[in-house]
């Protein structure tokens, strides 16, 4: 055969996920923990090579880790499902609750995987765009339109709601009272993706809502605060009913023995992770000030996560110059709908952040020297 039959129709316009990964001297593009894997997790991995029977399949449900998570979240163990990163769980959620003839509601700009998963599972996407303006405090305002979402819930009755708190890439959170309003307004599964919640103010932790809401699911990951992105492990916590449906669609051995052991160790010895979170959060305040009105004069979005979104004239060119001239990789989002002129920078170590700020200041001062005044500041999109 010299030809191959076409793939399924719904894949036709789908682009493979492209994190625009490039190797860089300073990687501030993927919201990882810049301090690396916690020592306890490293030790668990080293020991496991000697002591674990890695020629055997892993425990399919990762019961030891599920037990530890359930204990910490104060829920029955049957409410916790592990996945090969949060990514797998997001896909599985669409497999279980989406599908042809069903609808998922999202609020873009947000994590692009929701869109991809909807297309892959033939779930119709109902998008309620976020705000796109400047707040009275002079900050980028990307908050969700709460009223519009509630209105769509009653008008369109979606089967699944996926909202992100803190949101990637805008950094803002949903209040628990709004999440409760959503849960009261529908029996659809409401997934709150809390991949970055460890960096946020504790009042945004939605776990207290699990107790009384059978339709709530929370997504968490070990990739960000816990520094295990390379091992691929995340978890979802929800009612036993939702968790049970997710166990039906999961791949039996998607979480490997080493990832589960490292996650357990990182959870049990948390001091290093808590210190990394504290550093990240104080760097976030410092970098936001340096980028903002009193520093480089850029519009910045207030963030509860380990990254900052900011708007800069000629964003793509700035991105390129940061990379070519300084080996600094940030995330260029300027072509994403609703994010014209926006770049996202992950919080690195203080030295990495200084290198980024200095490079950006140099690039922008050169720009100001050469660019006509009209190009100096894009109008807000
Ligand atoms: N949710 C959000 C909002 C994210 O930004 C990410 C990672 N980029 C994930 C989920 C998935 O992370 P992981 O698969 O590494 O757990």
């Amino acid at each position: 055969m010299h030809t191959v039959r076409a793939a399924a129709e719904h894949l036709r316009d789908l682009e493979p996920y492209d994190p625009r990964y490039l190797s860089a001297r300073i990687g501030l593009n993927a919201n990882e923990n810049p301090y690396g894997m916690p020592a306890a997790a490293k030790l668990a991995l080293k020991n496991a090579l000697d002591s674990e029977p890695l020629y055997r399949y892993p425990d399919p449900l990762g019961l030891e880790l599920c037990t530890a998570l359930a204990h910490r979240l104060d829920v029955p163990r049957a409410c916790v499902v592990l996945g090969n990163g949060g990514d797998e769980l997001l896909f599985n959620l669409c497999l279980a609750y989406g599908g042809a003839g069903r609808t998922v509601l999202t609020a873009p700009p947000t994590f692009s995987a929701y869109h991809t998963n909807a297309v892959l599972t033939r779930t119709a996407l109902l998008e309620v765009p976020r705000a796109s303006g400047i707040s009275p405090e002079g900050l980028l305002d990307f908050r969700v339109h709460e009223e519009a979402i509630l209105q769509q819930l009653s008008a369109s009755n979606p089967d699944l709601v996926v909202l992100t708190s803190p949101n990637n890439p805008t950094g803002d959170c949903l209040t628990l009272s709004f999440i409760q309003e959503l849960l009261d307004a529908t029996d659809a599964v409401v997934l709150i993706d809390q991949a970055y919640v460890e960096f946020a103010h504790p009042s945004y932790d939605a776990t207290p809502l699990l107790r009384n809401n059978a339709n709530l699911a929370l997504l968490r990951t070990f990739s960000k605060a816990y520094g295990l992105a390379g091992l691929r492990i995340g978890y979802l916590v929800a009612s036993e009913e939702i968790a049970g449906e997710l166990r039906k669609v999961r791949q039996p051995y998607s979480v490997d023995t080493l990832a589960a052991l490292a996650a357990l160790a990182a959870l049990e010895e948390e001091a290093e992770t808590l210190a990394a979170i504290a550093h990240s959060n104080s760097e976030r305040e410092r970098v936001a000030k340096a980028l903002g009105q009193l520093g480089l004069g850029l519009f910045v979005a207030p963030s509860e996560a380990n990254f900052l979104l900011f708007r800069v004239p000629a964003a793509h060119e700035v991105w390129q110059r940061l990379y070519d001239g300084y080996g600094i990789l940030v995330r260029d989002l300027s072509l994403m709908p609703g994010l014209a002129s926006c770049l996202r920078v992950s919080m690195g170590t203080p030295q990495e952040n200084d290198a980024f700020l200095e490079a950006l200041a140099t690039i922008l001062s050169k720009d100001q020297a050469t660019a006509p005044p009209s190009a100096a500041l894009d109008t807000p999109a």
Side-chain angles (χ1 to χ4, degrees):
M1 267 297 150
H2 295 293
T3 57
V4 60
R5 198 172 291 197
E9 173 69 17
H10 63 287
L11 298 193
R12 207 186 45 206
D13 298 326
L14 198 65
E15 292 290 331
Y17 179 67
D18 177 8
R20 306 198 195 276
Y21 183 77
L22 296 165
S23 102
R25 188 173 69 89
I26 298 180
L28 300 176
N29 58 315
N31 306 337
E32 297 135 338
N33 180 333
Y35 301 98
M37 186 187 296
K42 251 185 224 167
L43 186 65
L45 291 178
K46 280 187 190 148
N47 291 342
L49 285 182
D50 289 330
S51 62
E52 288 297 318
L54 292 174
Y55 58 96
R56 303 261 186 226
Y57 284 102
D59 166 7
L61 293 177
L63 288 182
E64 210 186 343
L65 179 57
C66 283
T67 306
L69 288 167
H71 182 68
R72 163 175 296 236
L73 300 164
D74 196 20
V75 296
R77 188 174 71 186
C79 296
V80 183
V81 187
L82 303 180
N84 190 263
D87 284 340
E88 184 192 28
L89 293 159
L90 289 170
F91 180 68
N92 287 354
L93 196 78
C94 267
L95 270 185
Y97 287 96
R102 298 170 69 105
T103 305
V104 55
L105 182 151
T106 65
T110 189
F111 187 35
S112 62
Y114 312 145
H115 178 274
T116 310
N117 290 338
V119 174
L120 285 175
T121 57
R122 304 182 186 210
T123 312
L125 197 64
L126 176 63
E127 297 188 317
V128 183
R130 291 164 168 266
S132 170
I134 304 291
S135 72
E137 297 81 32
L139 298 166
L140 292 176
D141 182 1
F142 284 106
R143 279 171 297 179
V144 293
H145 282 300
E146 297 184 355
E147 283 311 313
I149 291 176
L150 288 165
Q151 198 207 328
Q152 277 302 330
L153 271 188
S154 65
S156 309
N157 195 21
D159 302 280
L160 178 60
V161 176
V162 177
L163 295 173
T164 323
S165 181
N167 186 44
N168 175 12
T170 59
D172 55 288
C173 283
L174 304 171
T175 63
L176 294 204
S177 59
F178 174 60
I179 297 172
Q180 185 60 62
E181 263 189 274
L182 288 175
L183 294 163
D184 290 340
T186 179
D187 64 352
V189 171
V190 175
L191 175 89
I192 307 296
D193 180 341
Q194 298 212 302
Y196 301 95
V197 76
E198 292 86 358
F199 300 98
H201 188 276
S203 64
Y204 293 116
D205 176 355
T207 46
L209 302 182
L210 285 167
R211 189 175 296 274
N212 294 318
N213 295 286
N215 55 338
L216 174 63
L218 302 180
L219 184 81
R220 302 275 171 95
T221 180
F222 285 95
S223 298
K224 310 297 179 183
Y226 287 94
L228 302 184
L231 291 178
R232 313 304 303 127
I233 181 159
Y235 61 98
L236 183 140
V237 53
S239 59
E240 288 193 33
E241 194 179 337
I242 296 174
E245 297 301 328
L246 283 167
R247 276 192 277 274
K248 289 185 193 168
V249 297
R250 72 188 293 274
Q251 298 292 318
Y253 301 111
S254 65
V255 176
D256 68 70
T257 305
L258 295 178
L261 281 172
L264 188 63
L267 204 61
E268 282 173 351
E269 285 183 48
E270 246 185 350
E272 232 177 291
T273 298
L274 296 178
I277 293 168
H279 287 312
S280 179
N281 285 354
S282 67
E283 282 299 288
R284 184 182 69 208
E285 300 316 311
R286 182 176 78 89
V287 176
K289 275 202 192 106
L291 290 172
Q293 306 296 311
L294 299 177
L296 292 172
L298 303 173
F299 286 116
V300 185
S303 171
E304 293 283 335
N306 63 343
F307 53 80
L308 287 163
L309 186 77
F310 61 99
R311 191 178 279 158
V312 61
H316 179 70
E317 203 188 325
V318 169
W319 175 87
Q320 194 77 55
R321 285 160 79 174
L322 280 169
Y323 185 68
D324 291 345
Y326 303 88
I328 298 174
L329 185 62
V330 299
R331 189 73 194 261
D332 179 9
L333 296 164
S334 59
L335 292 180
M336 266 183 78
L339 295 176
S341 304
C342 285
L343 300 181
R344 188 194 69 196
V345 61
S346 309
M347 290 306 98
T349 62
Q351 295 76 14
E352 289 174 333
N353 297 334
D354 281 343
F356 159 71
L357 287 169
E358 276 165 35
L360 186 62
T362 308
I363 291 168
L364 293 181
S365 64
K366 276 190 200 148
D367 264 2
Q368 262 160 20
T370 53
S374 60
L377 198 67
D378 281 358
T379 45

